[in-house]
Structure formats: structure tokens, C-alpha cells
Amino acid sequence: MKQILNNLSKLAKDKHNENKKYFDKLKKKPPKNLDYIMQDLHNAEFKKTDCLKCANCCKTTGPLFTLADIERISKYFRQKPQQFIDQYLRIDEDKDYVLKSVPCTFLDNENYCMIYDVRPKACREFPHTDRNKFYQISNLTLKNVEICPAAFNIVEEMKKKLPL
């Protein structure tokens, strides 16, 4: 897996300009059936992807924590929300709550999430490739293809299935 991740960074950088141009065109005129196509591509990729073998998203980036996430997770830990914030989170330059450090505090040695059932919304939805109005998150997708092998594969398949 380590070799795939090393190659992923290089591959994603090599494809960055091509992907950016592709998404710029996609934003201007998204196909009517784009969300259905993305759902199919996402489902097909995640039938053959085992996130536990990778967990690169948890090792290299941290999610945003919404107030609802903080409430839910602090309740799980039987803490007051402010205790949870003080212990695990900081406010970033965009004024969002994020982890104090990466890799994620809640990732164990076997790539399991210790708070999986109450994990943040951003984690539940990552890499966001099955999201409605997918074309609206192209900047996020460009970042995610550098982190997530599945996102990289989905974008490559998307370009084949929807040449612009």
C-alpha cells in the first residue's frame, strides 16, 4: 500500500493540470446525469476498495468538525462539548474546528477508527465522490485525488466515461 500511496502523490501531481481543466469544463456545463454516473463510479470503486488497508485520509489530513459532530462525539466520550474541544480540537485559519494534529487521534494501529459510529460528517462522506452536484466540489476533489487512491481511480474513470 505504501508504494501505491507514494505513486499516488506523483500521479496526482502529473494529472493535476489535466484534471483542473476537466473540472473547469465540467463546471461550465455539467451533464444532466452527472450525479447518477458519479454514484455508479463511486459504488463500483468502493466494492473493490478496502479503506482499512490505506487510511491515508486519516493519516495525512483531518476533518472539519461541525457543532453537531462535537455534540455527538463529546456525548460518546461522556464529556461536555467544551472539554472535547479543549482536548482534541483547534480553530483553523477558516475559523473551522479541526484536529490539533494528524494523524487522526482516533485512528488505531490497524487503521480502525475508534469513534467510527459517531465519526464526523466529513469522515462519513469522504472522499465525497458520490455527492449530489459533484461538479461544485472540484477543488476539494483535486485535493482528495492526492490523498485517496479510490478518489483518484474514480476521477480517472469519470474522464473516460464522460469525455469533455
Side-chain angles (χ1 to χ4, degrees):
M1 181 51 70
K2 196 155 185 79
Q3 186 168 357
I4 290 169
L5 293 175
N6 289 342
N7 289 342
L8 179 66
S9 181
K10 183 187 178 337
L11 283 170
K13 282 180 177 63
D14 291 348
K15 297 270 186 181
H16 181 80
N17 288 341
E18 175 187 313
N19 288 345
K20 185 160 179 12
K21 284 178 191 164
Y22 181 85
F23 283 120
D24 286 346
K25 285 182 185 174
L26 189 72
K27 269 190 208 171
K28 285 183 182 133
K29 195 167 188 241
K32 285 186 179 21
N33 60 345
L34 178 63
D35 290 343
Y36 295 109
I37 291 169
M38 292 312 298
Q39 187 72 55
D40 288 346
L41 293 173
H42 177 91
N43 291 345
E45 182 62 32
F46 280 97
K47 278 186 182 140
K48 60 186 179 188
T49 297
D50 181 359
C51 293
L52 292 173
K53 285 193 168 80
C54 179
N56 198 42
C57 50
C58 306
K59 293 173 184 173
T60 61
T61 62
L64 301 181
F65 285 74
T66 65
L67 293 176
D69 293 330
I70 293 167
E71 289 281 333
R72 186 177 60 258
I73 299 166
S74 63
K75 187 176 178 183
Y76 175 80
F77 283 128
R78 296 188 171 92
Q79 291 181 312
K80 292 198 174 344
Q82 192 57 51
Q83 289 174 299
F84 176 78
I85 290 167
D86 293 344
Q87 189 171 352
Y88 297 105
L89 305 180
R90 66 179 176 83
I91 296 176
D92 71 2
E93 57 282 352
D94 297 324
K95 308 277 186 262
D96 292 314
Y97 282 109
V98 296
L99 290 169
K100 286 183 179 177
S101 62
V102 291
C104 179
T105 313
F106 307 113
L107 184 69
D108 75 11
N109 322 10
E110 295 178 356
N111 292 339
Y112 281 92
C113 175
M114 295 182 276
I115 61 167
Y116 189 81
D117 291 338
V118 294
R119 69 196 184 281
K121 181 177 188 254
C123 299
R124 275 184 271 135
E125 295 178 355
F126 190 85
H128 313 285
T129 46
D130 60 346
R131 180 172 158 167
N132 285 342
K133 298 187 180 166
F134 173 77
Y135 65 91
Q136 293 179 341
I137 59 161
S138 58
N139 290 344
L140 179 60
T141 304
L142 286 171
K143 288 178 187 164
N144 290 346
V145 297
E146 294 180 22
I147 298 164
C148 176
F152 180 88
N153 292 341
I154 290 166
V155 168
E156 290 306 301
E157 285 302 310
M158 175 188 182
K159 290 186 299 189
K160 288 178 197 165
K161 198 160 194 146
L162 285 172
L164 299 176

